[in-house]
Amino acid sequence: MRRGDVLVLGALTCALVVAAVAGLALGPVRIAPAEVVRILTGGAEPSPLRTIVLDVRLPRVLLGAVIGAGLAVIGTVLQALVRNPLADPFLLGVSSGASAGAVAVIVLGIGAGAAMTVTIPAAAFAGAMASLALVYVLARGRGGAMTGARLVLAGVAVAYILSAMTSLLLVTSADANHIQEVLYWTLGGLGSARWDMLALPAATLLVGTVVLLALARPLDLLLAGEEGATVLGLDTSRFRAAVFVLTSLLTGAAVAYSGAIGFVGLMVPHAARMVVGASHRRLLPVAALGGAVFLVAADLAARTVAAPQDIPVGVLTALTGGPFFLWLLHRGRAPEGVGA
């Protein structure tokens, strides 16, 4: 690893620590950073502040770091997979499937009380996997070939259909209280974070990132285009299908616990690519840390900008990601290292 990469990773790690401490200290109840450190190191006596830090804010900060890192990694890979600089984890309809599954559970009242904390993520994950299967079938051409253009078109079509189904479920619901709950979930938020929600997305992210790092070279080959990658010995159709399945699994695991938080997977990979270049062996770790920093900071802003009201963090990521998306369109070309 180059010295410059080590410095970048070190700087991002420090930024993540600062963002995490700020996330633990700031909120409707402000806690001094020194007291936060004392609580984390076990030096504080049991108190309401200790409960706030350890049981309310710490799981939320950790979940934000995990989800942010995962979405950034997925976005980085998808932009190479479909050779489209506008790709992000929600391009392929997976988040729409997750939303449809979760909304179905909420509206139909499957499970009750504490049981819904299990049924909603389970239904979201199942919906994500169902949409994955549908997009996969639609994207395969004659002879089983799969191209980036077919993936994008199939994903957009499936996303529209599933979004319409979600709206239909909502407007036909007999309970008006469902609207606010569903709206918060579909916009994306971390307010429901708990310790028992961390294991699955964290394990999925870790394993998935390790696998994708091992696939860094073929991902780099895809940047050369279909013909160039094939000439260099890569079965692009089979490789694209396998990585598509993996990234969709990672997206389903993330969306199931945070809702549909958009644009993280669009913005962070471009920023990381500007710093360390297009090589995925260098790019993926930087994107992961950058995504973690970004989402932890965005969630902190969501909790404090209109305190005591908790704004869904997806609203803030959309407010920053929307202009970024328009800027990319205005440029009319892909950043260096990503095909148009």
Side-chain angles (χ1 to χ4, degrees):
M1 184 175 290
R2 301 178 183 179
R3 181 183 178 185
D5 297 341
V6 174
L7 292 176
V8 171
L9 292 173
L12 286 173
T13 301
C14 292
L16 180 58
V17 171
V18 171
V21 172
L24 296 175
L26 301 178
V29 177
R30 300 208 169 200
I31 305 172
E35 181 65 17
V36 169
V37 174
R38 191 177 302 112
I39 291 171
L40 293 177
T41 56
E45 297 294 330
S47 67
L49 294 183
R50 190 173 185 270
T51 300
I52 290 173
V53 170
L54 296 182
D55 296 335
V56 179
R57 293 182 182 173
L58 185 56
R60 181 166 180 163
V61 167
L62 293 176
L63 184 64
V66 168
I67 299 300
L71 293 177
V73 167
I74 298 163
T76 301
V77 173
L78 286 179
Q79 288 170 12
L81 200 65
V82 301
R83 301 192 71 245
N84 189 327
L86 303 180
D88 81 342
F90 303 96
L91 177 71
L92 303 180
V94 181
S95 67
S96 297
S99 296
V103 170
V105 166
I106 295 171
V107 172
L108 299 177
I110 301 175
M116 293 196 75
T117 63
V118 176
T119 56
I120 290 177
F125 190 80
M129 294 304 99
S131 65
L132 155 66
L134 182 57
V135 171
Y136 182 80
V137 170
L138 294 175
R140 289 172 66 87
R142 293 181 179 179
M146 180 182 294
T147 64
R150 291 185 68 91
L151 274 174
V152 172
L153 291 174
V156 170
V158 169
Y160 274 117
I161 294 170
L162 291 173
S163 294
M165 291 177 61
T166 300
S167 299
L168 180 63
L169 282 170
L170 188 57
V171 299
T172 56
S173 171
D175 189 348
N177 293 327
H178 288 154
I179 296 178
Q180 184 174 1
E181 184 177 0
V182 168
L183 180 62
Y184 189 91
W185 198 92
T186 54
L187 290 175
L190 304 171
S192 61
R194 302 184 316 276
W195 282 108
D196 58 357
M197 296 173 59
L198 291 171
L200 178 60
T204 305
L205 167 66
L206 179 61
V207 174
T209 302
V210 170
V211 173
L212 291 171
L213 277 172
L215 299 175
R217 183 177 180 276
L219 285 171
D220 290 343
L221 292 180
L222 278 181
L223 299 180
E226 295 285 330
E227 293 183 4
T230 301
V231 168
L232 293 172
L234 180 66
D235 186 339
T236 56
S237 180
R238 182 175 298 179
F239 177 75
R240 184 176 278 112
V243 177
F244 171 48
V245 171
L246 176 58
T247 54
S248 295
L249 286 168
L250 295 177
T251 304
V255 173
Y257 287 92
S258 67
I261 301 174
F263 292 102
V264 178
L266 173 67
M267 295 184 290
V268 175
H270 285 291
R273 206 174 280 113
M274 292 175 185
V275 176
V276 297
S279 171
H280 286 84
R281 191 171 298 279
R282 304 167 58 200
L283 181 60
L284 288 173
V286 172
L289 276 173
V293 173
F294 176 78
L295 194 56
V296 169
D299 185 57
L300 173 60
R303 289 191 285 118
T304 57
V305 70
Q309 185 174 353
D310 192 345
I311 300 174
V313 68
V315 173
L316 294 188
T317 61
L319 286 174
T320 55
F324 185 83
F325 185 90
L326 293 175
W327 175 71
L328 287 177
L329 286 177
H330 180 70
R331 288 181 61 181
R333 63 181 181 86
E336 184 180 354
V338 181

